[in-house]
Amino acid sequence: VRSGIEISIILAAKEGDYTARLDGALVIGVSDNSDGVQFNARGYVGPRSENFAVNNVRFQDFPEGTFAMGSCSRCDIHPTQDQDAHRTLFSNLTFTNVHQRVKFGWPYKAIFKDLDGTLTGTPMYTNTPYWPHNINPHCVRNTDLDGILCDETVEVRRLALYSPQPTQTLDFYPIQVAKELLNSTSLKTTINSSMSNIQWLDKGSPDRAWVVPFVTGYQYSVQFYTGVDFTQIFLKSTLMSDNETLFVRFNWTDIRDHFKVYSQSQRLVGSLLAVPSVTQPSGTFFTNTLDKYLLVMLNSLVNANK
């Protein structure tokens, strides 16, 4: 038995619909009839998909060496491998004699949204595994919750970068991601965090991809480990709210005359003069030919950000 309650996958749910849920459960880690045998008890492990909620659940007696909640059911097994960075909503939780509330599972990208403060101590906070690029004034390390704790002013979203070309020099290698600052006058960028090394995976919604949890409202640099310029790549984020934006910057080495960027099969017009405005459609881009980078903005104006 891997865990007390384990939800593997939610099928046929509309994005943003959290009617599929675990509701009204009592989960016991080590009971009196265990005869003193200590084992790695896991109370609840969540799905490798979006659109799931956990409500009105009581966790009881999880001593040191055990944990109440985990993430990404069977993601570490290749036939069911998944990239994770899926969001689960939590509310009305109770923990009694619990040494560790959360221990994230591989690939360490889950997003736990606390609606009422019963998980993190503060309503609308987000708990997610530690990646250096997501450290900022609103998101700080929290080892008690096995990762990062973000306040209610920001959101953490899933971004997939997939089907890159050329495959022979980009597949199988990681990408390096860092938060950065953009000087609005000089249009030069400055790295503002440590690098996160994100593993490429051959399968797992989507296949042949890198999947990254990002704190929205910031700009990030994405660098390919091999240093090779891409000729094609797809981006897809989970649903964003109206006030959310995400800027992703790619640099290049060889000469590039121009870039073509499409959103839902519609080609977008970029700029050589100014960075995208948050009021423009998702996928609007800026090309800096002097410093050789492409800056792409994602937001809610096109929900299927592709």
Side-chain angles (χ1 to χ4, degrees):
V1 178
R2 290 169 59 96
S3 53
I5 297 175
E6 186 159 348
I7 311 296
S8 288
I9 193 167
I10 308 301
L11 299 176
K14 182 180 179 181
E15 187 173 13
D17 178 8
Y18 288 89
T19 54
R21 60 181 53 221
L22 171 63
D23 201 330
L26 170 63
V27 186
I28 298 175
V30 179
S31 61
D32 291 340
N33 64 359
S34 64
D35 296 326
V37 177
Q38 181 66 45
F39 59 97
N40 184 23
R42 314 186 314 168
Y44 153 84
V45 174
R48 57 182 184 274
S49 56
E50 294 282 330
N51 310 307
F52 192 70
V54 177
N55 176 63
N56 190 28
V57 177
R58 178 181 175 184
F59 297 92
Q60 176 84 37
D61 295 331
F62 285 83
E64 187 174 0
T66 69
F67 60 91
M69 300 196 303
S71 62
C72 211
S73 170
R74 302 182 182 271
C75 290
D76 55 344
I77 302 172
H78 194 265
T80 55
Q81 177 180 284
D82 192 85
Q83 300 267 13
D84 202 14
H86 301 300
R87 189 165 88 147
T88 303
L89 306 184
F90 294 88
S91 60
N92 197 19
L93 306 180
T94 303
F95 300 91
T96 305
N97 298 327
V98 174
H99 178 77
Q100 185 168 2
R101 294 186 178 188
V102 175
K103 186 174 179 60
F104 291 110
W106 187 91
Y108 312 109
K109 300 175 185 176
I111 302 167
F112 285 3
K113 185 72 174 183
D114 182 6
L115 299 181
D116 62 357
T118 53
L119 170 59
T120 65
T122 308
M124 303 308 293
Y125 270 38
T126 301
N127 183 206
T128 189
Y130 168 70
W131 291 97
H133 70 273
N134 279 334
I135 293 294
N136 60 65
H138 300 281
C139 299
V140 298
R141 290 293 302 270
N142 188 303
T143 55
D144 291 340
L145 291 172
D146 195 34
I148 295 173
L149 197 57
C150 296
D151 68 30
E152 75 284 1
T153 64
V154 296
E155 295 289 352
V156 184
R157 301 296 186 184
R158 181 186 207 257
L159 179 66
L161 302 93
Y162 62 102
S163 297
Q165 295 286 350
T167 59
Q168 66 270 25
T169 51
L170 295 177
D171 282 4
F172 300 98
Y173 294 98
I175 58 172
Q176 295 182 315
V177 178
K179 182 168 62 68
E180 65 179 18
L181 300 176
L182 175 66
N183 187 304
S184 59
T185 302
S186 68
L187 299 179
K188 293 186 177 296
T189 60
T190 304
I191 297 296
N192 195 35
S193 75
S194 298
M195 288 283 186
S196 297
N197 290 302
I198 307 297
Q199 182 181 0
W200 177 94
L201 294 179
D202 63 327
K203 68 187 301 285
S205 66
D207 297 340
R208 291 187 52 238
W210 305 271
V211 170
V212 190
F214 280 108
V215 179
T216 58
Y218 290 93
Q219 178 174 312
Y220 299 90
S221 165
V222 174
Q223 300 180 25
F224 296 97
Y225 184 79
T226 57
V228 173
D229 294 335
F230 70 88
T231 57
Q232 171 187 286
I233 194 165
F234 292 86
L235 307 182
K236 184 175 179 62
S237 76
T238 48
L239 193 67
M240 295 186 188
S241 60
D242 290 343
N243 61 345
E244 291 181 72
T245 57
L246 176 65
F247 291 86
V248 182
R249 184 181 68 85
F250 303 92
N251 59 3
W252 76 86
T253 302
D254 291 338
I255 296 174
R256 290 288 183 266
D257 179 64
H258 65 279
F259 288 89
K260 295 180 181 179
V261 178
Y262 294 84
S263 179
Q264 294 188 329
S265 301
Q266 179 181 355
R267 185 175 176 182
L268 299 176
V269 177
S271 172
L272 296 172
L273 302 175
V275 299
S277 165
V278 296
T279 60
Q280 291 178 286
S282 187
T284 302
F285 63 100
F286 164 66
T287 306
N288 187 322
T289 56
L290 180 62
D291 295 314
K292 293 186 176 181
Y293 68 77
L294 170 69
L295 182 65
V296 181
M297 179 191 65
L298 302 177
N299 60 24
S300 65
L301 297 184
V302 178
N303 288 331
N305 292 315
K306 177 178 177 182

